[in-house]
Amino acid sequence: MKKLCILGASMIVLAFSNSANAQVRWGLGAGVNLNQNIDQYQGETVANQAKVGYHGGGFADICLANNLTLQPGLMYIMKGGLQQRSAEAQLPDGFHELKVKDKLALHYIELPLTLTYRFGVGRGNVVLGAGGYAAALTGANSESKVKYTINDQEIEALSFDEDQNLSIGNDEDDNLKRMDYGLVGNLGYEFANGWFLRGGVDAGLRDIMGHNFTPNIAATQSAPAVQNTSSRNVSYLFTLGYWFSH
């Protein structure tokens, strides 16, 4: 994480040194994001339901040319996913129902870097941005809830609630990888008074799953299906922010 923060600062310093006369703005932004993990099990792709997270951090806006700027940033963002599924069966002893709910919360420090183009609309500007991000995972936990009922009566021996912290790193016994990276795209509007609204997407390119982690969705798959698994982060961000010089 320290290396990522140093990298972010270095990129901003480099931008200054390459453009001594550059016009630079500084801003803060925060908001909510909807997250998914795009999982693969033996070649089958599964996109889980959206999990709500939040993000916030600081940004710079470095003028490169008319209407063209470079925007590095450094922010915290919560990613992850949510899976809910059920199975039902009518057996000789009654009606069986299995309900499973899994939540994965991933806490990242992220460095986005986008090239933006703006054009005037009304009293402000529409801003288009594209680029990439690098992120370091600082914490992760999973919550699983399994409820098994027969004729609407819960069977405690087959039901459980579990909350666990996941290990992070590149060792054989780690659950998740430390680093993630991907593509960034956004569309926003800047008001004349410095406030801005932005919608964007983080599309992860790296498999974040560690050597020793099998998502609980695999419990409903056949044994071969839990092999060769992978998972990527996807987040849709909605941000409110303010530029201090405008």
Side-chain angles (χ1 to χ4, degrees):
M1 184 176 68
K2 291 182 179 179
K3 292 181 179 179
L4 192 65
C5 295
I6 293 172
L7 177 60
S10 299
M11 292 176 66
I12 296 175
V13 171
L14 181 61
F16 276 118
S17 64
N18 287 340
S19 182
N21 297 319
Q23 296 179 348
V24 180
R25 300 185 298 173
W26 300 92
L28 295 174
V32 298
N33 39 285
L34 300 178
N35 309 285
Q36 287 183 315
N37 293 124
I38 307 300
D39 303 327
Q40 284 195 330
Y41 303 92
Q42 201 73 2
E44 179 183 355
T45 300
V46 179
N48 51 36
Q49 295 94 351
K51 178 184 182 298
V52 177
Y54 48 90
H55 62 275
F59 305 90
D61 187 54
I62 305 167
C63 182
L64 302 179
N66 288 338
N67 300 326
L68 191 67
T69 68
L70 186 68
Q71 289 189 357
L74 187 64
M75 67 178 188
Y76 161 82
I77 181 168
M78 176 193 286
K79 300 186 178 183
L82 170 65
Q83 297 176 351
Q84 298 184 84
R85 56 202 184 277
S86 62
E88 302 172 350
Q90 183 67 50
L91 301 177
D93 61 341
F95 182 74
H96 291 236
E97 184 176 23
L98 172 67
K99 292 183 178 181
V100 181
K101 183 177 182 179
D102 294 326
K103 292 194 294 184
L104 180 63
L106 306 176
H107 305 277
Y108 282 97
I109 298 298
E110 180 169 304
L111 171 66
L113 180 65
T114 58
L115 187 66
T116 70
Y117 179 80
R118 57 179 38 82
F119 55 91
V121 174
R123 298 185 62 186
N125 294 297
V126 171
V127 183
L128 301 172
Y133 75 85
L137 184 60
T138 61
N141 72 285
S142 66
E143 299 178 31
S144 301
K145 184 175 183 178
V146 175
K147 184 177 181 180
Y148 197 103
T149 61
I150 301 178
N151 296 328
D152 294 328
Q153 297 296 315
E154 184 173 354
I155 308 303
E156 293 186 2
L158 299 176
S159 303
F160 65 87
D161 262 319
E162 183 178 68
D163 188 348
Q164 62 174 329
N165 293 322
L166 303 177
S167 59
I168 303 168
N170 295 315
D171 295 333
E172 288 292 330
D173 58 348
D174 285 324
N175 301 134
L176 296 164
K177 296 173 183 173
R178 174 74 64 184
M179 299 303 300
D180 185 29
Y181 53 82
L183 302 177
V184 173
N186 53 58
L187 171 64
Y189 188 81
E190 296 179 350
F191 298 91
N193 60 5
W195 290 97
F196 67 86
L197 293 171
R198 179 189 299 166
V201 59
D202 279 10
L205 297 177
R206 191 183 195 203
D207 174 18
I208 64 170
M209 197 173 295
H211 301 287
N212 188 34
F213 183 52
T214 301
N216 288 325
I217 191 174
T220 65
Q221 308 287 328
S222 61
V226 304
Q227 301 173 4
N228 301 319
T229 58
S230 66
S231 183
R232 294 182 294 108
N233 285 315
V234 176
S235 297
Y236 303 93
L237 290 76
F238 305 92
T239 307
L240 172 65
Y242 182 79
W243 294 111
F244 290 99
S245 55
H246 51 276

